């Protein structure tokens, strides 16, 4: 079945440093979504990528979808304390089912 | 819109007791998902419905777990009998499945503790 690996598991950064989390799938994806979960909160949708090689930006966040549609990344430029939380990728192979990665927990030190 | 509503927000029960978690999805959404989140296993998809019909329940841990969606505005997840290892945060999420973005909207979750 489909397997998803998200790395790193944890990342500690100093405020102002950049941060990147990677998501790799064993199978070709139809699309991939990214979610953010603040401590004690619930996952909140950030974005969906569909096209091969797609790059989307949301302010300091940059999302990329690999050319082979098997991997994706989320990059945050100049992290802020408000970026703290766990970032999940959620790949989809075309059906109803979306599998969430294990998540990358981001800690930002002021 | 009030978003996805879950109740109760917290539940503490004793091993062997029946637990029922409730979810009201966003009006107009046609897909509903139940997830379980623990530190050890992360965010696991238990079951999902489309147009009130269960599509895939392969994530349901065992027969002690059951889920229903009697209508488009209500779903329940029942655990009978409950066990300490069922302790987790249970999320309900809904979406409007189209050919475009299928963003899932999560409820606040129910934190279940089984003693």
């Amino acid at each position: 079945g489909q397997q998803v690996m998200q790395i790193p598991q944890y990342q500690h950064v100093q405020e102002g440093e950049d941060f990147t989390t990677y998501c790799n799938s064993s199978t070709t994806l139809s699309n991939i979504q990214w979610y953010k979960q603040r401590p004690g909160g619930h996952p909140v949708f950030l974005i969906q990528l569909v096209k091969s090689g797609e790059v989307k930006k949301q302010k300091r966040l940059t999302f990329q979808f690999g050319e082979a549609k098997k991997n994706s990344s989320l990059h945050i430029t100049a992290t802020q304390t408000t970026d703290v939380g766990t970032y999940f990728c959620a790949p989809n192979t075309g059906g109803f089912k979306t599998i969430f990665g294990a998540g990358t927990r981001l800690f930002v030190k002021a | 819109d009030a978003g996805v509503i879950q109740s109760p927000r917290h539940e503490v029960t004793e091993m062997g007791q029946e637990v029922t978690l409730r979810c009201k999805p966003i009006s107009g959404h046609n897909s509903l998902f139940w997830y379980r989140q623990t530190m050890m296993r992360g965010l696991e998809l238990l079951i999902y419905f489309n147009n009130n019909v269960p599509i895939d329940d392969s994530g349901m841990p065992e027969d002690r777990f059951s889920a229903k969606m009697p209508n488009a505005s209500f779903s329940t997840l029942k655990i009978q009998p409950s066990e300490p290892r069922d302790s987790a945060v249970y999320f309900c999420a809904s979406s409007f499945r189209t050919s475009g973005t299928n963003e899932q909207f999560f409820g606040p979750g129910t934190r279940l503790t089984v003693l």
Side-chain angles (χ1 to χ4, degrees):
Chain A
Q2 179 191 355
Q3 296 201 10
V4 176
M5 179 175 291
Q6 192 173 349
I7 55 172
Q9 189 175 5
Y10 301 96
Q11 184 83 59
H12 293 257
V13 300
Q14 192 75 32
E15 188 174 26
E17 292 181 340
D18 291 356
F19 159 77
T20 304
T21 173
Y22 301 90
C23 184
N24 298 300
S25 171
S26 58
T27 58
T28 301
L29 303 172
S30 174
N31 61 68
I32 189 165
Q33 297 179 344
W34 285 91
Y35 290 77
K36 176 184 178 182
Q37 184 177 21
R38 294 182 184 275
H42 56 276
V44 175
F45 175 84
L46 294 176
I47 208 159
Q48 176 169 297
L49 305 173
V50 178
K51 299 177 182 177
S52 168
E54 189 170 15
V55 178
K56 287 188 176 180
K57 292 190 176 184
Q58 290 179 352
K59 297 182 180 179
R60 295 178 295 104
L61 276 61
T62 301
F63 304 84
Q64 293 189 341
F65 202 7
E67 293 290 342
K69 298 184 73 172
K70 286 189 174 183
N71 55 71
S72 180
S73 65
L74 158 59
H75 179 83
I76 302 178
T77 303
T79 55
Q80 301 175 357
T81 55
T82 53
D83 295 326
V84 164
T86 301
Y87 293 85
F88 294 97
C89 65
N92 182 282
T93 54
F96 286 94
K97 203 167 183 175
T98 295
I99 303 296
F100 278 74
T104 295
R105 188 162 184 183
L106 174 63
F107 299 87
V108 180
K109 186 176 181 181
Chain B
D1 199 319
V4 176
I5 298 172
Q6 290 186 247
S7 65
R9 293 294 306 277
H10 302 272
E11 176 82 22
V12 180
T13 190
E14 292 187 345
M15 182 174 62
Q17 295 298 306
E18 177 180 297
V19 175
T20 300
L21 310 181
R22 297 173 176 79
C23 175
K24 177 178 169 55
I26 293 173
S27 177
H29 282 188
N30 57 6
S31 295
L32 184 140
F33 307 82
W34 282 100
Y35 292 90
R36 177 174 68 176
Q37 187 174 42
T38 61
M39 288 294 292
M40 291 297 295
R41 301 178 67 89
L43 194 60
E44 301 174 276
L45 176 63
L46 301 177
I47 185 171
Y48 60 90
F49 296 83
N50 190 62
N51 293 324
N52 312 338
V53 176
I55 302 299
D56 187 339
D57 64 355
S58 60
M60 296 286 260
E62 46 197 277
D63 292 345
R64 296 185 298 107
F65 286 69
S66 62
K68 293 182 180 180
M69 192 165 186
N71 56 63
S73 60
F74 184 65
S75 177
T76 59
L77 178 67
K78 185 177 294 186
I79 308 173
Q80 167 62 21
S82 59
E83 296 182 3
R85 59 192 169 121
D86 302 331
S87 298
V89 179
Y90 290 81
F91 289 105
C92 173
S94 71
S95 72
F96 181 66
R97 182 169 176 82
T98 67
S99 58
T101 300
N102 298 303
E103 171 184 355
Q104 292 187 37
F105 293 80
F106 282 75
T110 294
R111 182 173 294 276
L112 173 64
T113 302
V114 184
L115 303 174

